[in-house]
Amino acid sequence: MAAGTTHHTIVSTQSHRWNCKNSRLDETTTKVGLVSIRSCSSGNRKLGLVCASGSKSSIIDPVQLPSSGNGESSLILIRHGESMWNEKNLFTGCVDVPLTPTGVEEAIEAGKRICNIPIDVIFTSAMIRAQMTAMLAMMQHRRKKVPIITHKESEQAHSWSQIYSEHTRKQSVPVITAWQLNERMYGELQGLNKQETAERFGKEQVHEWRRSYDMPPPNGESLAMCADRAVTYFKDQVVPQLIAGKHVMVAAHANSLRSIIMHLDKLTSQEVISLELSTGIPMLYIFKEGEFLRRGSPAGPSEASVYAYTKNLAQYRQKLDSMVQ
């Protein structure tokens, strides 16, 4: 970048092959278009937001807007907003803590950015911070569908949570929770202050626990172990929804999402350790004609460029606009 340039990001585009060979989708091979944001000061890569917000208006007597059904669908990935332990600089891992007021604001802002993108099904981790983020984001959606957590942990739970109105069901979005999307389990580091831990064990050791691909913290998970469960779940449960034409949002955590992005974008174990995901920032992929195509970054793509990329999203936005009084 030129010396006089004031921008703090460099945008680079890469294309990779993605193969579901180990999943049920043996014959599906896709391309992934990666837009990455690389910090000029640190060299770390940050994947960012899709600027897809519009006017926020209530919808009176909304009609059903169908899924694409033609092999074109959207995938939104969101890391949860700031949690109470993020604020305290503590290792959180699989400890179930809620969002801070800042985290709530981040989730609401994320919802505004994706309020014109169709969402048919939501996957979250079993952690409350991811579920809060998904719910708060959906409250901003112009479609005004109600996110409802599905309960299939027992036959009775499934039976008692049934919806008996077809109209109400159409105005709902199922929310599927899965422990496989949980944050990496940090073992004996959970609850410890990150700065104090670095002073106790040394910065290099703590950095290796946090950022290496295959070195777990004491009695915890490595990123490789986290990736094994998160990517397997993504291939088995999420990808079939997209192939069926459903528009999907996944609200999860830094490491489970890093694992999924590593898989989609074919990042190496060295590339993924420098991948940073900001809290509350939505990332959009378009699944179209068997390909995953990345759209949007903090570098400033306009809303028009996002919708121009796929006819279905443009038509969906037009339908939303026509429903607003």
Side-chain angles (χ1 to χ4, degrees), residues 188-214:
E188 295 176 15
L189 300 185
Q190 291 184 169
L192 300 184
N193 181 278
K194 294 177 182 177
Q195 180 60 37
E196 294 175 358
T197 304
E199 293 172 356
R200 176 182 175 186
F201 294 100
K203 291 183 179 180
E204 291 185 4
Q205 177 63 78
V206 173
H207 181 77
E208 187 173 22
W209 284 335
R210 294 185 65 190
R211 291 304 182 207
S212 67
Y213 182 68
D214 53 9

Side-chain angles (χ1 to χ4, degrees), residues 86-253:
N86 290 147
E87 182 183 44
K88 295 178 180 294
N89 199 32
L90 305 180
F91 286 101
T92 309
C94 287
V95 180
D96 205 359
V97 299
L99 301 180
T100 63
T102 297
V104 169
E105 292 175 0
E106 289 176 337
I108 291 172
E109 181 61 27
K112 292 177 181 178
R113 288 172 174 155
I114 60 173
C115 69
N116 296 308
I117 298 174
I119 298 173
D120 297 315
V121 61
I122 299 171
F123 291 88
T124 79
S125 75
M127 306 279 95
I128 188 64
R129 56 193 184 272
Q131 295 174 24
M132 288 179 70
T133 299
M135 295 297 187
L136 289 165
M138 280 302 296
M139 288 175 65
Q140 310 307 310
H141 201 280
R142 295 176 68 199
R143 185 62 184 83
K144 301 301 180 185
K145 285 189 175 183
V146 178
I148 297 177
I149 295 177
T150 61
H151 287 281
K152 296 184 178 180
E153 58 268 26
S154 69
E155 184 176 342
Q156 179 174 313
H158 178 64
S159 175
W160 283 15
S161 62
Q162 291 298 300
I163 300 172
Y164 292 95
S165 166
E166 183 64 24
H167 174 76
T168 300
R169 189 180 295 111
K170 289 180 179 179
Q171 304 309 316
S172 305
V173 177
V175 180
I176 301 168
T177 63
W179 70 267
Q180 292 92 333
L181 298 174
N182 283 3
E183 177 58 288
R184 179 156 68 107
M185 203 278 279
Y186 271 97
E188 295 176 15
L189 300 185
Q190 291 184 169
L192 300 184
N193 181 278
K194 294 177 182 177
Q195 180 60 37
E196 294 175 358
T197 304
E199 293 172 356
R200 176 182 175 186
F201 294 100
K203 291 183 179 180
E204 291 185 4
Q205 177 63 78
V206 173
H207 181 77
E208 187 173 22
W209 284 335
R210 294 185 65 190
R211 291 304 182 207
S212 67
Y213 182 68
D214 53 9
M215 173 66 71
N219 293 315
E221 280 187 310
S222 65
L223 179 57
M225 296 163 69
C226 177
D228 183 60
R229 58 174 166 84
V231 173
T232 298
Y233 184 84
F234 179 82
K235 291 193 293 185
D236 288 347
Q237 303 298 325
V238 179
V239 171
Q241 295 281 348
L242 294 166
I243 289 177
K246 299 293 184 180
H247 306 286
V248 179
M249 179 169 76
V250 178
H253 306 264

Side-chain angles (χ1 to χ4, degrees), residues 49-67:
L49 62 90
V50 51
C51 183
S53 62
S55 58
K56 180 186 175 185
S57 305
S58 62
I59 296 175
I60 307 300
D61 192 24
V63 297
Q64 177 71 11
L65 297 182
S67 301

